[in-house]
Amino acid sequence: MNGIVYKSTGSWYTVKTEENNFVECRIKGKFRIKGIKSTNPIAVGDHVVYELDETSDVVTGVITAITDRRNYIVRKSVNLSKQVHIIASNVDQMFVLVTINNPITTTSFIDRFLVTAEAYGIEAIIVFNKIDTLSEDALDDQLYLQHIYSQIGYKCIRVSATTGKGIDELKALMIDKVSMFSGHSGVGKSTLVNALEPGLNLKTKEISEQHQQGQHTTTFAEMFDLSFGAKIIDTPGIRGFGIVDMEKTEVTDYFPEFFALKDQCKFNNCLHKEEPQCAVKDALDQDEISWSRYRSYIQILEGDDEQNHYRTDIYSDPKRHGLE
């Protein structure tokens, strides 16, 4: 029998059956997923084959196989540095929630999210939240960021869970798809999700920076069916994922505007740093590439921690201009 994993608690998996029922399942033996050294063999979103356990008094099942994944998202395991934790699989799109203030979302965080989505082959959409709270200056910042990412080709929408602005547009993007949301603590994820589906009341725990570490392994994802024909994977702590095992020469491929210029560089393996005749640096000098994007690229390339660069992004862009 076939089903989809809706919840994982480490040893038990809630599987939705083809008859739209839910069965608690264990796994049979050890699963070896080719090429992945993972702390969890099965993740939310996995399509699995299971059989009912006839020996149990309660109706339970045993997962015997996993079908091929279209994609999956991982983060480094906290306790096992050489292994990863699979957050979810078979995801159609990832939304990054961005707030201009209260709290500030850095461009470094946005760019790491986008690079990760590109690397996993998942569409990324930027959601500017709490737009009803923006002052005139903050609105200028929001429009500037929207200009940067729209020019690259990323879809951007502006929403307010309080006023309802943009909610219908967001719903339309989610229909018939499996979506994930991410963002810093305090960006309003739980409020927004509950505005999309009143009554769902997701307990999206907000974790502070100082308490973030050490919580990843005890946080489990869960998928929900929404009334308007969409699925959402709720992942408290998803903002803790990051760049995993990415070669330096790969990073440029996940910046679309850099990748488009790659074949114009003198060297095939150009890292766009000190090399001569670099098309990316030329475009940067001509204001065709955002300085904040280039800064994020260098930070990722050098393995720098995003948290060490709080708001040094668009405010220090030497070629920044306001947009009406």
Side-chain angles (χ1 to χ4, degrees), residues 28-72:
K28 183 177 181 179
K30 291 185 177 180
F31 281 84
R32 301 288 183 183
I33 308 299
K34 186 177 180 181
I36 306 175
K37 293 181 179 179
S38 170
T39 58
N40 60 321
I42 297 175
V44 170
D46 273 336
H47 293 245
V48 298
V49 179
Y50 72 97
E51 56 189 32
L52 293 179
D53 185 354
E54 303 293 346
T55 65
S56 174
D57 294 334
V58 182
V59 178
T60 60
V62 178
I63 295 172
T64 58
I66 308 173
T67 61
D68 290 340
R69 293 166 171 151
R70 287 187 292 111
N71 56 47
Y72 57 90

Side-chain angles (χ1 to χ4, degrees), residues 184-201:
H184 283 311
S185 293
V187 295
K189 185 182 77 165
S190 57
T191 303
L192 180 59
V193 171
N194 290 323
L196 290 167
E197 187 70 285
L200 188 59
N201 294 322

Side-chain angles (χ1 to χ4, degrees), residues 127-188:
V127 178
F128 291 98
N129 197 20
K130 302 184 182 181
I131 60 166
D132 58 303
T133 66
L134 299 182
S135 65
E136 187 174 336
D137 288 342
L139 178 60
D140 184 59
D141 292 338
Q142 187 272 309
L143 291 174
Y144 178 65
L145 284 178
Q146 186 169 336
H147 170 75
I148 289 175
Y149 293 105
S150 296
Q151 289 288 98
I152 297 168
Y154 287 108
K155 190 174 297 180
C156 300
I157 62 174
R158 306 169 73 239
V159 303
S160 166
T162 303
T163 66
K165 180 177 176 61
I167 296 297
D168 288 341
E169 182 182 359
L170 184 56
K171 281 185 174 181
L173 293 173
M174 296 173 65
I175 292 173
D176 295 330
K177 293 183 178 180
V178 177
S179 303
M180 287 179 58
F181 285 75
S182 179
H184 283 311
S185 293
V187 295

Side-chain angles (χ1 to χ4, degrees), residues 49 62 89 98 101 109 148 152 190 234 240 258 278-279 322:
V49 179
V62 178
S89 66
V98 174
N101 47 35
F109 175 83
I148 289 175
I152 297 168
S190 57
D234 181 42
F258 293 11
C278 169

Side-chain angles (χ1 to χ4, degrees), residues 29-316:
K30 291 185 177 180
F31 281 84
R32 301 288 183 183
I33 308 299
K34 186 177 180 181
I36 306 175
K37 293 181 179 179
S38 170
T39 58
N40 60 321
I42 297 175
V44 170
D46 273 336
H47 293 245
V48 298
V49 179
Y50 72 97
E51 56 189 32
L52 293 179
D53 185 354
E54 303 293 346
T55 65
S56 174
D57 294 334
V58 182
V59 178
T60 60
V62 178
I63 295 172
T64 58
I66 308 173
T67 61
D68 290 340
R69 293 166 171 151
R70 287 187 292 111
N71 56 47
Y72 57 90
I73 303 167
V74 302
R75 63 178 167 222
K76 291 180 181 178
S77 172
V78 173
N79 299 318
L80 301 169
S81 60
K82 293 184 179 180
Q83 289 193 312
V84 297
H85 179 81
I86 304 172
I87 299 170
S89 66
N90 301 315
V91 178
D92 293 313
Q93 56 193 5
M94 296 166 63
F95 293 89
V96 57
L97 269 61
V98 174
T99 46
I100 301 304
N101 47 35
N102 191 32
I104 291 171
T105 301
T106 66
T107 51
S108 181
F109 175 83
I110 299 170
D111 294 335
R112 284 167 187 266
F113 178 96
L114 296 177
V115 164
T116 303
E118 293 280 351
Y120 293 134
I122 302 172
E123 181 183 7
I125 298 171
I126 300 173
V127 178
F128 291 98
N129 197 20
K130 302 184 182 181
I131 60 166
D132 58 303
T133 66
L134 299 182
S135 65
E136 187 174 336
D137 288 342
L139 178 60
D140 184 59
D141 292 338
Q142 187 272 309
L143 291 174
Y144 178 65
L145 284 178
Q146 186 169 336
H147 170 75
I148 289 175
Y149 293 105
S150 296
Q151 289 288 98
I152 297 168
Y154 287 108
K155 190 174 297 180
C156 300
I157 62 174
R158 306 169 73 239
V159 303
S160 166
T162 303
T163 66
K165 180 177 176 61
I167 296 297
D168 288 341
E169 182 182 359
L170 184 56
K171 281 185 174 181
L173 293 173
M174 296 173 65
I175 292 173
D176 295 330
K177 293 183 178 180
V178 177
S179 303
M180 287 179 58
F181 285 75
S182 179
H184 283 311
S185 293
V187 295
K189 185 182 77 165
S190 57
T191 303
L192 180 59
V193 171
N194 290 323
L196 290 167
E197 187 70 285
L200 188 59
N201 294 322
L202 289 187
K203 295 179 180 179
T204 49
K205 182 170 58 177
E206 303 291 2
I207 304 174
S208 64
E209 289 291 342
Q210 62 266 33
H211 295 111
Q212 175 67 22
Q213 289 194 352
Q215 303 224 14
H216 294 169
T217 54
T218 58
T219 300
F220 301 103
E222 184 170 2
M223 184 150 61
F224 296 90
D225 293 323
L226 305 183
S227 61
F228 53 94
K231 289 181 172 64
I232 182 173
I233 297 180
D234 181 42
T235 54
I238 178 65
R239 67 191 185 87
F241 75 81
I243 312 302
V244 177
D245 295 331
M246 193 177 292
E247 298 293 333
K248 286 189 175 183
T249 52
E250 286 183 271
V251 177
T252 185
D253 295 347
Y254 303 130
F255 282 76
E257 70 274 41
F258 293 11
F259 182 73
L261 298 170
K262 188 176 180 179
D263 61 352
Q264 299 176 37
C265 292
K266 180 178 180 180
F267 300 106
N268 292 332
N269 60 347
C270 184
L271 292 179
H272 319 306
K273 292 179 68 179
E274 308 299 333
E275 299 90 344
Q277 298 180 39
C278 169
V280 170
K281 287 194 297 180
D282 289 344
L284 185 67
D285 289 339
Q286 295 171 28
D287 202 20
E288 296 171 357
I289 284 178
S290 160
W291 277 91
S292 65
R293 288 279 289 172
Y294 184 74
R295 187 178 296 109
S296 294
Y297 166 75
I298 295 298
Q299 288 175 16
I300 294 172
L301 207 64
E302 296 177 350
D304 213 349
D305 187 353
E306 179 261 336
Q307 294 180 9
N308 291 333
H309 298 265
Y310 202 53
R311 197 53 176 231
T312 60
D313 37 38
I314 62 171
Y315 290 111
S316 59

